[in-house]
Every structure is written in C-alpha cells, then in structure tokens.
Amino acid sequence: MEYITPLLYRNTFNTLSFLYKKSAVEEEFDLFRIKDVLDSFSEGQIFNKQWAVQELNKLIDITHEECLVIGSWYGLFSHMLAESGFKGKIINIELDDMCNKIAKKLKVYDNIIFKHADGMEIFNELNYENKILVCTACEHINDEELSFTLQQKHENMLTCLQSNNYYEINSHINCKDNLEDFVKSLPLKTIMYSGTKKYKNEYDRFMVIGK
C-alpha cells in the first residue's frame, strides 16, 4: 500500500510483541495498547492519512521546513508524509505519553520527532509561517478550543484538518454533519482544498486545507 513500507510493518509487529511481553510484568503496558496500535493502522486510518498526504503534497513547497501534527496518536501520518518525500522535521504532539513511547519504537525516519504535550496549549510556541499544521482528529477536540487556537495561527501557515460525522464513538465530541458545516466552523481565511470521502458506507470524513 502506498506510503506504508515493509520496515514500518516489521517495526509494528515487533512493537506488538514487545507490548505483549511488557504487559505481563509492567502495569502501564496493558493489553489494550495492542488493540489501540492495531486500530491506528486500520484500513480507515490509512485511507484518511493517505488522502491528507496526497492532497498536501500538491501544495507543499521548499518554504515548508517543518510539519506540526496535533493529536498524532502513534505517528502514522508522520511516517506516511516522510515516506512520500517530505524531508523537513515532522513534530508529533500527543497528550498521551504512552502513545509517544510506543510511537518511538515504530519510528522509521530520523526527521520524525515526538513531543508529549497538549497541542492546543503549546501551539503558540510552534506557530511559524514555514510550518505545516496537521490535525486529522478534529472530532476529538472541543469546537471552541480548536477555533480559538486556529485564530492564533500565522496567516501563512498551511493547515490540513479532518473531521467526520461518526457520532457513535464517545470520544468524538466535535463531529460535523457535512463538509459545509466543517468548513464554516474553521476560521481559515483561504480554503485551498475541501472534500468528502465516504468510508464503507459507515461515515463520511471531511478534509479542509487552507491558510
């Protein structure tokens, strides 16, 4: 599958084995993490990240020196972006530090970095025009908090955001009914791309790229 390398798959299997062994002796490595890692590499997650990488690559140029990924989970998007040819630093921001610990074991590319923090809270530290801002999990972020943060971003920062209408998951606190509602909720001055993709007739995923 495009952007997914044999080395990343091998690292994934090795990491799952590591988690299973650790779960027997260390409480913080519970068996839930094995399923969570597998979920992060599900067909739907690969589908969503691949879409983002493909559309971003049409807009990325040599001025974009870094990519900031908010809510990076286990870093799948960063691996796919690096595999597509992006050479700049890719900074993954994740509030769950265990995700970061596991993501480091999955890591393939040297330009991928993991940072334990709340992306909404530390955004201003990393808010520069030469960065790309990516969040493929806007459905997990409070609408007002997301809007406030985006209002602070540098006007030239290329921004890629995804959400969905998959209301059935409890942690999805900010779903949107359709693409139009998602676009209206975002304080972006320029929309460079917007689209909807249906996943197995289960839900629609929306993506907006702009500044």
Side-chain angles (χ1 to χ4, degrees):
M1 188 172 292
E2 191 174 6
Y3 306 139
I4 301 294
T5 64
L7 180 56
L8 180 56
Y9 272 121
R10 187 171 68 194
N11 283 1
T12 302
F13 292 133
N14 290 340
T15 298
L16 293 176
S17 178
F18 166 82
L19 290 173
Y20 179 76
K21 293 175 181 177
K22 281 288 188 179
S23 70
V25 294
E26 296 186 31
E27 186 176 345
E28 65 174 341
F29 291 95
D30 57 66
L31 290 174
F32 156 77
R33 291 291 174 177
I34 294 177
K35 183 180 185 306
D36 204 40
V37 171
L38 289 171
D39 285 346
S40 78
F41 282 84
S42 70
E43 182 181 2
Q45 292 298 329
I46 293 173
F47 172 84
N48 299 336
K49 272 62 173 182
Q50 186 177 52
W51 181 26
V53 170
Q54 288 174 337
E55 293 302 329
L56 271 174
N57 275 333
K58 297 174 184 179
L59 300 167
I60 293 173
D61 58 39
I62 59 173
T63 66
H64 298 113
E65 299 175 2
E66 294 183 356
C67 180
L68 174 65
V69 186
I70 292 178
S72 55
W73 206 3
Y74 296 104
L76 175 60
F77 172 83
S78 63
H79 290 290
M80 296 176 78
L81 183 63
E83 177 62 22
S84 77
F86 185 77
K87 303 300 183 184
K89 188 184 298 182
I90 307 173
I91 307 170
N92 294 276
I93 310 296
E94 173 56 53
L95 186 59
D96 184 344
D97 197 33
M98 181 54 70
C99 286
N100 291 318
K101 292 177 182 178
I102 295 171
K104 289 175 183 177
K105 295 190 70 65
L106 295 167
K107 176 178 171 179
V108 173
Y109 294 94
D110 291 337
N111 61 326
I112 296 176
I113 296 169
F114 298 96
K115 186 176 180 66
H116 175 217
D118 184 325
M120 297 293 101
E121 291 183 0
I122 70 163
F123 178 71
N124 282 334
E125 298 176 17
L126 303 165
N127 187 10
Y128 301 101
E129 65 176 320
N130 65 344
K131 280 191 173 64
I132 305 160
L133 173 64
V134 175
C135 180
T136 62
C138 292
E139 66 272 16
H140 292 276
I141 303 174
N142 177 274
D143 206 10
E144 292 184 1
E145 186 177 15
L146 177 62
S147 180
F148 176 79
T149 300
L150 291 175
Q151 289 176 42
Q152 315 307 312
K153 79 171 190 65
H154 192 285
E155 62 181 4
N156 289 327
M157 180 183 282
L158 183 63
T159 304
C160 176
L161 305 166
Q162 289 187 357
S163 188
N164 59 49
N165 59 2
Y166 196 29
Y167 290 93
E168 287 78 3
I169 297 179
N170 291 336
S171 60
H172 286 187
I173 60 173
N174 188 19
C175 289
K176 301 299 178 186
D177 289 337
N178 50 56
L179 177 62
E180 182 180 6
D181 286 349
F182 186 41
V183 172
K184 287 181 178 178
S185 73
L186 303 172
L188 298 177
K189 295 180 179 179
T190 304
I191 303 298
M192 305 166 76
Y193 173 89
S194 64
T196 300
K197 285 188 179 287
K198 183 173 290 293
Y199 180 69
K200 291 186 174 180
N201 292 317
E202 295 178 4
Y203 63 89
D204 296 317
R205 179 157 287 269
F206 317 119
M207 184 165 72
V208 176
I209 302 176
K211 292 184 177 181

